[in-house]
Amino acid sequence: MHLLINTGGGDAPGLNACIRAVTLSAVRRGFRVTGIRRGYSGLLESGERGLLSLDRDTVRGIADRGGTILGTVSRGQPFEYLSTDGQGRSVVTDMSDRIMTRYRELGADGLIALGGDGSLRIAARFQEKGMRVILVPKTIDNDLGGTEATFGFDSAMSFATDAVCRLHSTAEAHGRVMVIELMGRYAGWLALQAGLAGAAHVILIPEIDFDIDLVCDSVRHRYETNRPFAVVVVAEGAKQKGSDFVVTRRDAGKEPTLGGVGALVAARIQERTGLETRHLVLGHLQRGGSPTAADRLLALRYGGEAVRLAARGQWGRMVSWQPPRMTSLSLNDAVKQRHVVGLEDDAVRTARDFGICFGDG
Ligand code: F6P
Protein backbone atom coordinates (compact mmCIF):
# COMPACT_ATOMS: atom_id res chain seq x y z
CA MET A 1 0.00 0.00 0.00
CA HIS A 2 1.19 3.53 -0.77
CA LEU A 3 -0.03 6.14 1.74
CA LEU A 4 0.22 9.89 1.31
CA ILE A 5 0.19 12.20 4.33
CA ASN A 6 -0.17 15.97 4.60
CA THR A 7 -0.64 18.66 7.24
CA GLY A 8 -3.05 21.55 6.56
CA GLY A 9 -4.26 24.74 8.26
CA GLY A 10 -2.57 26.40 11.22
CA ASP A 11 0.16 24.27 12.75
CA ALA A 12 -0.45 22.67 16.13
CA PRO A 13 1.92 20.99 18.58
CA GLY A 14 1.75 17.22 17.97
CA LEU A 15 1.78 17.24 14.15
CA ASN A 16 5.27 15.74 14.01
CA ALA A 17 4.38 13.10 16.60
CA CYS A 18 1.42 12.12 14.44
CA ILE A 19 3.55 12.00 11.26
CA ARG A 20 5.96 9.72 13.13
CA ALA A 21 3.15 7.45 14.34
CA VAL A 22 1.65 7.12 10.85
CA THR A 23 5.05 6.42 9.31
CA LEU A 24 6.18 3.83 11.86
CA SER A 25 2.84 2.00 11.91
CA ALA A 26 2.70 1.98 8.11
CA VAL A 27 6.32 0.97 7.49
CA ARG A 28 6.00 -1.96 9.92
CA ARG A 29 3.10 -3.22 7.82
CA GLY A 30 5.23 -2.96 4.70
CA PHE A 31 3.43 0.15 3.38
CA ARG A 32 5.18 3.02 1.63
CA VAL A 33 4.61 6.56 2.95
CA THR A 34 5.06 9.82 1.07
CA GLY A 35 4.64 13.21 2.72
CA ILE A 36 3.14 16.07 0.70
CA ARG A 37 4.70 19.41 1.47
CA ARG A 38 2.60 22.48 2.38
CA GLY A 39 -0.85 20.93 2.51
CA TYR A 40 -1.95 19.95 -1.01
CA SER A 41 0.44 22.42 -2.69
CA GLY A 42 3.18 19.80 -2.98
CA LEU A 43 0.99 17.89 -5.42
CA LEU A 44 0.99 20.90 -7.74
CA GLU A 45 4.79 21.01 -7.95
CA SER A 46 6.70 19.10 -10.55
CA GLY A 47 8.94 16.13 -9.83
CA GLU A 48 9.80 15.30 -6.26
CA ARG A 49 10.06 18.91 -5.04
CA GLY A 50 6.72 18.89 -3.29
CA LEU A 51 7.14 15.43 -1.80
CA LEU A 52 9.09 13.89 1.06
CA SER A 53 9.60 10.16 1.27
CA LEU A 54 9.03 9.09 4.87
CA ASP A 55 10.73 6.19 6.63
CA ARG A 56 12.12 5.34 10.07
CA ASP A 57 15.11 7.63 9.55
CA THR A 58 13.12 10.67 8.39
CA VAL A 59 10.83 10.57 11.43
CA ARG A 60 13.45 9.76 14.05
CA GLY A 61 13.45 12.19 17.00
CA ILE A 62 10.62 14.41 15.74
CA ALA A 63 7.82 13.47 18.18
CA ASP A 64 8.65 16.29 20.59
CA ARG A 65 9.20 18.96 17.94
CA GLY A 66 6.65 21.72 17.31
CA GLY A 67 5.57 22.75 13.79
CA THR A 68 5.47 20.17 11.01
CA ILE A 69 8.32 18.71 8.96
CA LEU A 70 5.96 18.79 5.97
CA GLY A 71 5.06 22.48 6.19
CA THR A 72 1.49 23.69 6.07
CA VAL A 73 -0.73 26.32 4.50
CA SER A 74 -3.13 28.41 6.56
CA ARG A 75 -6.54 28.65 4.90
CA GLY A 76 -5.13 27.01 1.72
CA GLN A 77 -8.04 25.95 -0.48
CA PRO A 78 -7.28 23.70 -3.48
CA PHE A 79 -10.86 24.09 -4.76
CA GLU A 80 -10.53 27.89 -4.73
CA TYR A 81 -6.78 28.26 -5.07
CA LEU A 82 -5.56 31.87 -4.79
CA SER A 83 -2.69 33.09 -6.94
CA THR A 84 -1.67 36.28 -8.73
CA ASP A 85 -1.65 36.82 -12.48
CA GLY A 86 0.96 38.72 -14.55
CA GLN A 87 -0.60 42.07 -13.57
CA GLY A 88 -0.51 41.29 -9.86
CA ARG A 89 -4.28 40.65 -9.72
CA SER A 90 -5.65 37.87 -7.49
CA VAL A 91 -7.10 34.93 -9.41
CA VAL A 92 -9.08 32.04 -7.98
CA THR A 93 -8.67 28.66 -9.70
CA ASP A 94 -10.05 25.21 -8.96
CA MET A 95 -6.92 23.04 -8.70
CA SER A 96 -8.70 19.91 -7.51
CA ASP A 97 -8.57 18.09 -10.89
CA ARG A 98 -4.82 18.69 -11.16
CA ILE A 99 -4.38 17.38 -7.64
CA MET A 100 -6.48 14.29 -8.44
CA THR A 101 -4.37 13.62 -11.54
CA ARG A 102 -1.13 13.82 -9.55
CA TYR A 103 -2.61 11.63 -6.80
CA ARG A 104 -3.37 8.95 -9.39
CA GLU A 105 0.03 9.31 -11.09
CA LEU A 106 1.70 8.66 -7.74
CA GLY A 107 -0.17 5.36 -7.48
CA ALA A 108 -1.44 6.35 -4.05
CA ASP A 109 -3.93 4.14 -2.24
CA GLY A 110 -5.08 6.95 -0.02
CA LEU A 111 -4.26 10.09 1.95
CA ILE A 112 -4.01 10.62 5.68
CA ALA A 113 -4.74 14.32 6.18
CA LEU A 114 -3.86 15.98 9.48
CA GLY A 115 -5.99 19.10 9.81
CA GLY A 116 -8.73 21.18 11.34
CA ASP A 117 -12.20 22.21 10.17
CA GLY A 118 -11.03 23.63 6.83
CA SER A 119 -9.04 20.47 6.09
CA LEU A 120 -12.03 18.36 7.05
CA ARG A 121 -14.26 20.11 4.49
CA ILE A 122 -11.56 19.77 1.82
CA ALA A 123 -11.06 16.08 2.68
CA ALA A 124 -14.80 15.44 2.31
CA ARG A 125 -14.79 17.09 -1.15
CA PHE A 126 -11.76 15.11 -2.33
CA GLN A 127 -13.33 11.90 -1.05
CA GLU A 128 -16.33 12.70 -3.30
CA LYS A 129 -13.96 13.14 -6.23
CA GLY A 130 -12.54 9.66 -5.71
CA MET A 131 -9.56 10.28 -3.45
CA ARG A 132 -9.52 7.96 -0.45
CA VAL A 133 -8.99 10.06 2.68
CA ILE A 134 -8.74 9.62 6.43
CA LEU A 135 -8.69 12.81 8.49
CA VAL A 136 -6.86 13.12 11.80
CA PRO A 137 -8.25 16.09 13.77
CA LYS A 138 -5.72 18.64 14.99
CA THR A 139 -6.19 22.23 16.09
CA ILE A 140 -5.35 24.34 19.10
CA ASP A 141 -8.95 25.62 18.95
CA ASN A 142 -10.51 22.23 19.85
CA ASP A 143 -13.50 23.22 17.70
CA LEU A 144 -13.97 20.04 15.65
CA GLY A 145 -17.17 18.11 16.27
CA GLY A 146 -17.26 14.33 16.37
CA THR A 147 -14.29 14.00 18.70
CA GLU A 148 -13.73 14.81 22.35
CA ALA A 149 -10.36 16.46 21.80
CA THR A 150 -8.07 17.54 19.00
CA PHE A 151 -4.34 17.33 19.51
CA GLY A 152 -2.58 20.68 19.91
CA PHE A 153 -5.22 22.03 22.27
CA ASP A 154 -3.62 20.82 25.50
CA SER A 155 -0.25 22.37 24.59
CA ALA A 156 -1.80 25.73 23.68
CA MET A 157 -4.05 25.69 26.74
CA SER A 158 -1.14 24.84 29.07
CA PHE A 159 0.98 27.64 27.66
CA ALA A 160 -1.90 30.12 27.83
CA THR A 161 -2.63 29.10 31.43
CA ASP A 162 0.96 29.83 32.36
CA ALA A 163 0.71 33.24 30.66
CA VAL A 164 -2.52 34.09 32.54
CA CYS A 165 -0.92 33.01 35.84
CA ARG A 166 2.10 35.22 35.17
CA LEU A 167 -0.16 38.25 34.79
CA HIS A 168 -1.37 38.03 38.37
CA SER A 169 1.83 39.18 40.04
CA THR A 170 2.40 42.13 37.68
CA ALA A 171 -1.29 43.13 37.83
CA GLU A 172 -1.21 43.02 41.63
CA ALA A 173 2.13 44.82 41.91
CA HIS A 174 0.83 47.79 39.90
CA GLY A 175 -2.81 47.60 40.92
CA ARG A 176 -3.69 47.31 37.24
CA VAL A 177 -6.21 45.57 35.07
CA MET A 178 -4.41 43.20 32.68
CA VAL A 179 -6.32 42.04 29.61
CA ILE A 180 -5.00 39.10 27.59
CA GLU A 181 -6.40 38.03 24.20
CA LEU A 182 -6.20 34.32 23.36
CA MET A 183 -6.80 32.44 20.11
CA GLY A 184 -9.56 29.90 19.44
CA ARG A 185 -11.48 31.38 16.50
CA TYR A 186 -15.23 30.96 17.03
CA ALA A 187 -14.84 28.59 20.01
CA GLY A 188 -14.08 29.62 23.56
CA TRP A 189 -12.30 26.48 24.77
CA LEU A 190 -8.85 28.01 25.05
CA ALA A 191 -10.01 31.14 26.86
CA LEU A 192 -12.41 29.26 29.12
CA GLN A 193 -9.99 26.57 30.22
CA ALA A 194 -6.85 28.73 30.44
CA GLY A 195 -8.91 31.42 32.19
CA LEU A 196 -10.33 28.99 34.73
CA ALA A 197 -7.05 27.16 35.34
CA GLY A 198 -5.16 30.48 35.46
CA ALA A 199 -7.66 32.03 37.92
CA ALA A 200 -8.78 34.92 35.70
CA HIS A 201 -11.44 37.22 37.12
CA VAL A 202 -13.27 37.85 33.86
CA ILE A 203 -13.49 35.42 30.89
CA LEU A 204 -15.08 36.53 27.62
CA ILE A 205 -15.84 33.81 25.06
CA PRO A 206 -17.58 33.77 21.65
CA GLU A 207 -20.46 31.65 22.95
CA ILE A 208 -21.56 34.36 25.43
CA ASP A 209 -21.92 37.89 24.05
CA PHE A 210 -20.68 40.33 26.64
CA ASP A 211 -21.97 43.62 28.00
CA ILE A 212 -19.00 45.92 28.66
CA ASP A 213 -20.85 47.68 31.51
CA LEU A 214 -21.15 44.37 33.35
CA VAL A 215 -17.46 43.66 32.78
CA CYS A 216 -16.58 47.09 34.21
CA ASP A 217 -18.92 46.57 37.18
CA SER A 218 -17.21 43.31 37.98
CA VAL A 219 -13.72 44.83 37.77
CA ARG A 220 -14.76 47.84 39.87
CA HIS A 221 -16.28 45.53 42.48
CA ARG A 222 -12.88 43.83 42.97
CA TYR A 223 -11.22 47.17 43.67
CA GLU A 224 -14.00 48.19 46.05
CA THR A 225 -13.72 44.94 47.98
CA ASN A 226 -10.03 45.14 48.72
CA ARG A 227 -8.73 43.21 45.69
CA PRO A 228 -7.27 46.08 43.70
CA PHE A 229 -6.18 44.33 40.49
CA ALA A 230 -7.84 42.17 37.84
CA VAL A 231 -6.95 39.67 35.11
CA VAL A 232 -9.29 39.58 32.13
CA VAL A 233 -9.09 36.79 29.52
CA VAL A 234 -10.68 37.56 26.15
CA ALA A 235 -11.09 35.00 23.36
CA GLU A 236 -10.29 36.49 19.94
CA GLY A 237 -13.83 35.51 18.86
CA ALA A 238 -15.59 37.18 21.81
CA LYS A 239 -18.00 39.91 20.82
CA GLN A 240 -19.98 42.65 22.46
CA LYS A 241 -23.75 42.25 22.55
CA GLY A 242 -25.11 43.64 19.29
CA SER A 243 -21.67 43.81 17.61
CA ASP A 244 -19.85 41.59 15.20
CA PHE A 245 -16.50 39.80 15.56
CA VAL A 246 -13.44 42.06 15.62
CA VAL A 247 -11.38 41.28 12.55
CA THR A 248 -7.76 42.22 11.99
CA ARG A 249 -7.34 41.02 8.38
CA ARG A 250 -9.57 40.17 5.46
CA ASP A 251 -8.06 38.46 2.42
CA ALA A 252 -10.22 37.71 -0.61
CA GLY A 253 -11.38 34.10 -0.66
CA LYS A 254 -10.09 33.37 2.85
CA GLU A 255 -11.60 33.19 6.31
CA PRO A 256 -11.07 36.53 8.10
CA THR A 257 -8.33 36.68 10.73
CA LEU A 258 -9.84 37.54 14.09
CA GLY A 259 -8.10 39.83 16.55
CA GLY A 260 -8.27 43.14 18.32
CA VAL A 261 -11.11 42.56 20.75
CA GLY A 262 -8.66 42.44 23.70
CA ALA A 263 -7.43 45.96 22.93
CA LEU A 264 -11.00 47.15 22.60
CA VAL A 265 -12.04 45.67 25.95
CA ALA A 266 -8.95 47.16 27.65
CA ALA A 267 -9.68 50.62 26.21
CA ARG A 268 -13.32 50.50 27.35
CA ILE A 269 -12.36 49.36 30.89
CA GLN A 270 -9.83 52.18 31.23
CA GLU A 271 -12.28 54.79 29.87
CA ARG A 272 -15.22 53.73 32.00
CA THR A 273 -13.51 52.85 35.29
CA GLY A 274 -10.49 55.13 35.19
CA LEU A 275 -8.38 52.15 36.26
CA GLU A 276 -4.96 51.74 34.72
CA THR A 277 -5.32 48.97 32.15
CA ARG A 278 -2.85 47.17 29.89
CA HIS A 279 -3.46 44.55 27.24
CA LEU A 280 -1.49 41.94 25.32
CA VAL A 281 -2.15 39.40 22.58
CA LEU A 282 -0.60 35.99 23.22
CA GLY A 283 -0.86 35.21 19.50
CA HIS A 284 1.16 32.54 17.76
CA LEU A 285 3.16 31.74 20.90
CA GLN A 286 0.15 29.51 21.62
CA ARG A 287 0.90 27.42 18.53
CA GLY A 288 4.68 27.21 18.87
CA GLY A 289 6.91 24.88 20.83
CA SER A 290 6.84 21.25 21.85
CA PRO A 291 3.63 19.36 22.45
CA THR A 292 2.77 18.51 26.04
CA ALA A 293 3.05 14.82 26.93
CA ALA A 294 -0.76 14.56 26.73
CA ASP A 295 -0.80 16.01 23.19
CA ARG A 296 2.12 13.90 22.08
CA LEU A 297 0.37 10.77 23.28
CA LEU A 298 -2.94 11.79 21.72
CA ALA A 299 -1.23 12.55 18.40
CA LEU A 300 0.58 9.20 18.42
CA ARG A 301 -2.63 7.34 19.18
CA TYR A 302 -4.52 9.22 16.47
CA GLY A 303 -1.79 8.36 13.96
CA GLY A 304 -1.82 4.69 14.93
CA GLU A 305 -5.60 4.48 14.53
CA ALA A 306 -5.47 6.24 11.15
CA VAL A 307 -3.16 3.54 9.78
CA ARG A 308 -5.29 0.75 11.26
CA LEU A 309 -8.31 2.26 9.46
CA ALA A 310 -6.34 2.44 6.19
CA ALA A 311 -5.15 -1.15 6.58
CA ARG A 312 -8.79 -2.26 7.00
CA GLY A 313 -9.82 -0.20 3.96
CA GLN A 314 -12.02 2.13 6.03
CA TRP A 315 -11.58 5.33 4.02
CA GLY A 316 -13.69 8.48 4.11
CA ARG A 317 -13.47 8.67 7.89
CA MET A 318 -12.28 11.01 10.60
CA VAL A 319 -10.48 9.45 13.54
CA SER A 320 -12.29 10.30 16.74
CA TRP A 321 -11.22 10.24 20.38
CA GLN A 322 -14.13 9.10 22.52
CA PRO A 323 -12.45 8.35 25.83
CA PRO A 324 -11.42 5.71 26.59
CA ARG A 325 -11.63 4.58 22.93
CA MET A 326 -10.12 5.71 19.67
CA THR A 327 -12.83 5.27 17.07
CA SER A 328 -13.97 7.01 13.86
CA LEU A 329 -16.95 8.53 12.07
CA SER A 330 -17.65 9.32 8.42
CA LEU A 331 -16.24 12.58 7.03
CA ASN A 332 -19.76 13.59 6.02
CA ASP A 333 -21.03 13.18 9.57
CA ALA A 334 -17.99 14.98 11.00
CA VAL A 335 -18.46 17.97 8.67
CA LYS A 336 -21.96 18.56 10.08
CA GLN A 337 -20.78 18.83 13.68
CA ARG A 338 -19.31 21.75 15.59
CA HIS A 339 -17.69 21.77 18.98
CA VAL A 340 -18.28 24.96 20.88
CA VAL A 341 -18.64 25.67 24.58
CA GLY A 342 -22.11 24.84 25.89
CA LEU A 343 -23.60 27.27 28.37
CA GLU A 344 -24.22 24.36 30.69
CA ASP A 345 -20.66 23.06 30.35
CA ASP A 346 -19.42 22.24 33.84
CA ALA A 347 -16.35 24.46 33.36
CA VAL A 348 -18.69 27.43 32.73
CA ARG A 349 -20.79 26.52 35.75
CA THR A 350 -17.72 26.07 37.92
CA ALA A 351 -16.36 29.44 36.82
CA ARG A 352 -19.71 31.05 37.65
CA ASP A 353 -19.68 29.34 41.05
CA PHE A 354 -16.33 31.02 41.70
CA GLY A 355 -17.78 34.43 40.78
CA ILE A 356 -15.91 34.69 37.47
CA CYS A 357 -17.65 37.22 35.22
CA PHE A 358 -18.61 36.28 31.63
CA GLY A 359 -20.02 39.74 30.96
CA ASP A 360 -23.58 38.48 30.76
CA GLY A 361 -25.25 39.58 33.93
O1 F6P B 1 -7.07 27.73 13.92
C1 F6P B 1 -5.90 27.94 14.63
C2 F6P B 1 -5.61 29.39 14.77
O2 F6P B 1 -4.42 29.54 15.52
C3 F6P B 1 -6.74 30.24 15.36
O3 F6P B 1 -6.82 30.11 16.75
C4 F6P B 1 -6.38 31.61 14.86
O4 F6P B 1 -7.53 32.41 14.72
C5 F6P B 1 -5.80 31.34 13.51
O5 F6P B 1 -5.38 29.99 13.50
C6 F6P B 1 -4.65 32.23 13.14
O6 F6P B 1 -4.28 31.95 11.85
P1 F6P B 1 -2.97 32.49 11.12
O7 F6P B 1 -1.86 31.56 11.50
O8 F6P B 1 -3.31 32.42 9.69
O9 F6P B 1 -2.71 33.85 11.64
Side-chain angles (χ1 to χ4, degrees):
M1 184 178 292
H2 181 195
L3 291 180
L4 301 182
I5 176 169
N6 71 356
T7 53
D11 68 322
L15 282 169
N16 283 323
C18 194
I19 293 170
R20 177 173 155 84
V22 167
T23 305
L24 294 185
S25 313
V27 166
R28 264 186 57 96
R29 286 175 165 82
F31 303 165
R32 192 174 138 213
V33 189
T34 302
I36 309 169
R37 296 187 193 270
R38 296 173 293 282
Y40 291 87
S41 313
L43 291 179
L44 297 170
E45 293 175 34
S46 54
E48 298 294 303
R49 275 194 319 162
L51 306 175
L52 177 67
S53 181
L54 296 173
D55 56 23
R56 289 188 161 280
D57 292 335
T58 345
V59 300
R60 183 166 298 125
I62 65 168
D64 61 347
R65 274 169 51 190
T68 157
I69 60 166
L70 295 175
T72 186
V73 182
S74 230
R75 306 182 190 90
Q77 232 299 14
F79 290 84
E80 286 113 35
Y81 191 82
L82 264 185
S83 56
T84 33
D85 65 11
Q87 276 87 51
R89 287 175 306 217
S90 299
V91 264
V92 178
T93 324
D94 182 352
M95 292 293 193
S96 59
D97 286 338
R98 266 182 66 187
I99 287 172
M100 286 304 297
T101 305
R102 191 73 203 288
Y103 166 81
R104 292 195 180 103
E105 279 167 9
L106 290 171
D109 291 287
L111 167 74
I112 296 185
L114 280 45
D117 57 347
S119 305
L120 170 62
R121 286 191 294 272
I122 294 167
R125 289 178 76 178
F126 272 125
Q127 178 76 26
E128 269 173 29
K129 281 181 91 85
M131 188 185 282
R132 303 202 292 185
V133 192
I134 290 166
L135 187 107
V136 179
K138 71 82 214 172
T139 162
I140 66 159
D141 304 337
N142 203 26
D143 57 352
L144 259 90
T147 186
E148 270 306 299
T150 56
F151 71 80
F153 173 71
D154 185 68
S155 309
M157 192 266 292
S158 304
F159 182 80
T161 299
D162 185 44
V164 174
C165 287
R166 281 168 183 262
L167 289 178
H168 281 256
S169 53
T170 178
E172 190 166 14
H174 287 267
R176 282 176 176 158
V177 181
M178 294 299 302
V179 178
I180 180 168
E181 180 181 301
L182 301 182
M183 283 185 168
R185 291 196 71 76
Y186 307 113
W189 297 110
L190 260 180
L192 172 64
Q193 297 199 11
L196 184 55
H201 308 114
V202 177
I203 302 175
L204 305 180
I205 57 175
E207 293 83 352
I208 304 175
D209 287 356
F210 65 87
D211 177 335
I212 195 68
D213 288 329
L214 296 176
V215 172
C216 292
D217 288 350
S218 160
V219 168
R220 227 183 266 112
H221 181 67
R222 282 186 57 77
Y223 281 71
E224 287 162 3
T225 51
N226 214 19
R227 294 166 296 166
F229 72 98
V231 174
V232 177
V233 170
V234 184
E236 62 181 4
K239 53 186 190 339
Q240 232 174 189
K241 261 188 199 138
S243 302
D244 209 347
F245 298 106
V246 184
V247 167
T248 172
R249 237 184 110 99
R250 282 185 200 277
D251 295 313
K254 293 191 175 188
E255 277 279 307
T257 304
L258 301 178
V261 63
L264 195 103
V265 167
R268 295 289 171 275
I269 292 176
Q270 169 125 6
E271 269 163 36
R272 292 176 191 209
T273 65
L275 296 166
E276 194 179 18
T277 306
R278 297 280 189 273
H279 78 273
L280 71 149
V281 179
L282 200 55
H284 292 80
L285 288 169
Q286 292 159 99
R287 294 225 305 250
S290 297
T292 56
D295 262 346
R296 205 176 307 174
L297 189 59
L298 186 60
L300 293 170
R301 295 175 73 181
Y302 264 129
E305 182 65 15
V307 175
R308 288 192 289 277
L309 286 173
R312 291 198 296 267
Q314 290 182 269
W315 298 100
R317 304 196 67 77
M318 179 179 101
V319 192
S320 158
W321 170 231
Q322 300 294 344
R325 284 188 328 118
M326 229 2 130
T327 170
S328 69
L329 73 165
S330 78
L331 291 176
N332 290 335
D333 285 343
V335 162
K336 289 180 206 136
Q337 302 189 30
R338 284 177 72 225
H339 186 222
V340 291
V341 176
L343 301 191
E344 288 306 308
D345 185 285
D346 79 281
V348 174
R349 287 165 53 197
T350 302
R352 290 198 196 278
D353 285 345
F354 293 179
I356 294 173
C357 167
F358 285 92
D360 64 337

